[in-house]
Amino acid sequence: MAEQQAAARESFSSIQVGQSIQGQPFSVSRESIQRFADGSLDYNPLHFDDEYMKNEFGKTRFGGVIMHGMQNFALITRTLTDWLLPQGGYHRRLETRWRKPVYPGDVITTHATVSDKFETEKSRWVTFDIEVKNQKGQAVATGQSMAEFPDKFPGRVGSPT
Amino acid sequence: MDPILSDFETDFWRQAKSRQTWDEIIPGEPRATRPLTLTKELIAKFARAMGEDNPLYFDEEYAKNTPFGGIVAPPSIHILLMFACTASDDWMRSPGTINAGQSWFYNVPARPGDTISMVGRALDRFVRKGRLFVIHDNVFYNQNNEVVCSGRGWTIRPN
């Protein structure tokens, strides 16, 4: 415990506002969309049915099947948690908006930038600005995130027996 | 198709007519939900499908030596829970439901052996720039009534 406490405090003090983190590029394909649907149980025809996608949706015509918006969310989460965990950081919050549809053939990459650091009476916090960009450099998703560098992670320790 | 829960109805058209439309959704009315018990296998399969490879989600020996003291589910597990914990006639499965954005706050991690329950509802609905929006909010609890995560989402509904 004392060790984790010291490590989290040290990581927190070494993090710089403006520091950036980049995720691994992710290649979107019909197979990746299928894998995401099987894991999330989201089988909306938006992601599978080419004929259906010729329709107009509200005021949007996608023109073809699109990736699940939540695939962005999962990739952002993964980028942040993999960066935070070795430093004793705990992923606390993620807010996202989808800006552009993502299609099979696109390659998307998460970019996170430390936007602020602050301490409260009980803990230490880091906020991030998030952008997921496609291969053309266009932002397909944007958002904000918040991590805590606590003395102890929330919840019980260890799996239930 | 190889759904993570083998009895899951993958054809979202099948009950399309019995689902509430934008006109019928009542903000504040609780959605019908059912609990889901997580296993190591389910967590590993989910994590793999999300593109995760951190051993924290797969390897008990590794996970024991982290501050978690054992395998946990990735925070993004609510992506699965949203469908696994709701009924097949739930409006989240209406074909053409477009996700516009979400926000989630994470409390205690979900672990293998946990039974997760959902409390969810539509909170608001409105028309903006000719699009039909519903805002929904959700909280997932473990068997000890600890909050796992809480979130809000914006969807654009089919008309």
Side-chain angles (χ1 to χ4, degrees), chain A residues 21 80 83-84 112-115 126-130 143-145 147:
Chain A
I21 303 147
L80 293 168
W83 186 79
L84 289 166
T113 307
V114 176
S115 53
V126 174
T127 57
F128 303 87
D129 286 332
I130 310 287
Q144 291 89 40
S145 169

Side-chain angles (χ1 to χ4, degrees), chain A residues 4 24 26 32 34-49 52 57-60 62 66 69-71 73-75 77-78 81-82 85 88 90-98 125 146 153-160, chain B residues 1-5 8 10 12-13 46 49-54 56-57 60 67-71 75-76 78-80 83-84 94-109 111-114 129 131 142-144 146 154:
Chain A
Q4 191 190 336
Q24 293 173 22
F26 180 83
S32 80
Q34 182 70 58
R35 193 162 57 241
F36 187 92
D38 288 339
S40 67
L41 301 176
D42 184 348
Y43 292 101
N44 200 296
L46 292 166
H47 313 300
F48 297 99
D49 187 339
Y52 176 68
F57 294 85
K59 294 193 162 174
T60 310
F62 294 104
I66 55 170
M70 290 309 269
Q71 174 76 75
F73 198 97
L75 291 170
T77 304
R78 185 243 164 118
T81 48
D82 282 357
L85 290 169
Y90 192 83
H91 179 61
R92 275 296 194 179
R93 188 173 185 278
L94 176 58
E95 172 171 359
T96 54
R97 288 292 164 94
W98 318 136
W125 306 85
M146 182 169 72
F153 277 9
R156 61 190 194 273
V157 173
S159 301
Chain B
M1 260 178 227
D2 179 21
I4 191 164
L5 300 179
F8 190 81
T10 60
F12 279 19
W13 288 112
F46 171 78
M50 294 300 113
E52 299 276 0
D53 61 6
N54 195 311
L56 175 62
Y57 311 125
E60 187 65 44
F68 292 106
I71 286 177
S76 57
H78 57 79
I79 297 172
L80 164 63
F83 288 94
S94 298
T97 297
I98 292 166
N99 186 342
Q102 304 215 353
S103 66
W104 286 86
F105 187 91
Y106 302 98
N107 189 44
V108 303
R111 295 171 182 272
D114 278 356
K129 293 182 185 166
R131 295 187 172 99
N142 67 20
Q143 65 284 359
N144 302 323
E146 295 169 302
W154 289 254

Side-chain angles (χ1 to χ4, degrees), chain B:
Chain B
M1 260 178 227
D2 179 21
I4 191 164
L5 300 179
S6 54
D7 62 346
F8 190 81
E9 175 56 69
T10 60
D11 181 358
F12 279 19
W13 288 112
R14 191 152 292 167
Q15 290 183 59
K17 292 268 186 296
S18 61
R19 297 195 186 104
Q20 288 176 306
T21 61
W22 183 87
D23 291 290
E24 293 161 344
I25 289 170
I26 299 172
E29 193 173 74
R31 287 157 74 186
T33 62
R34 55 186 176 191
L36 178 73
T37 298
L38 298 176
T39 61
K40 281 184 189 171
E41 293 68 32
L42 205 61
I43 288 173
K45 231 175 151 180
F46 171 78
R48 226 169 276 126
M50 294 300 113
E52 299 276 0
D53 61 6
N54 195 311
L56 175 62
Y57 311 125
F58 305 97
D59 181 344
E60 187 65 44
E61 284 312 304
Y62 173 90
K64 265 185 195 159
N65 293 312
T66 68
F68 292 106
I71 286 177
V72 295
S76 57
I77 189 77
H78 57 79
I79 297 172
L80 164 63
L81 295 171
M82 184 61 67
F83 288 94
C85 294
T86 49
S88 53
D89 63 354
D90 187 85
W91 46 263
M92 197 55 74
R93 292 182 206 179
S94 298
T97 297
I98 292 166
N99 186 342
Q102 304 215 353
S103 66
W104 286 86
F105 187 91
Y106 302 98
N107 189 44
V108 303
R111 295 171 182 272
D114 278 356
T115 298
I116 308 292
S117 311
M118 170 179 170
V119 174
R121 59 189 176 171
L123 196 62
D124 194 8
R125 63 176 160 108
F126 54 89
V127 184
R128 188 170 291 168
K129 293 182 185 166
R131 295 187 172 99
L132 305 176
F133 279 87
V134 168
I135 293 180
H136 58 102
D137 75 7
N138 327 271
V139 185
F140 291 103
Y141 300 89
N142 67 20
Q143 65 284 359
N144 302 323
N145 274 321
E146 295 169 302
V147 171
V148 171
C149 57
S150 54
R152 215 168 12 156
W154 289 254
T155 59
I156 302 169
R157 317 298 312 169
N159 191 1

Side-chain angles (χ1 to χ4, degrees), chain A residues 100-116:
Chain A
K100 274 183 180 301
V102 180
Y103 297 95
D106 285 349
V107 178
I108 55 173
T109 308
T110 301
H111 302 264
T113 307
V114 176
S115 53
D116 202 4

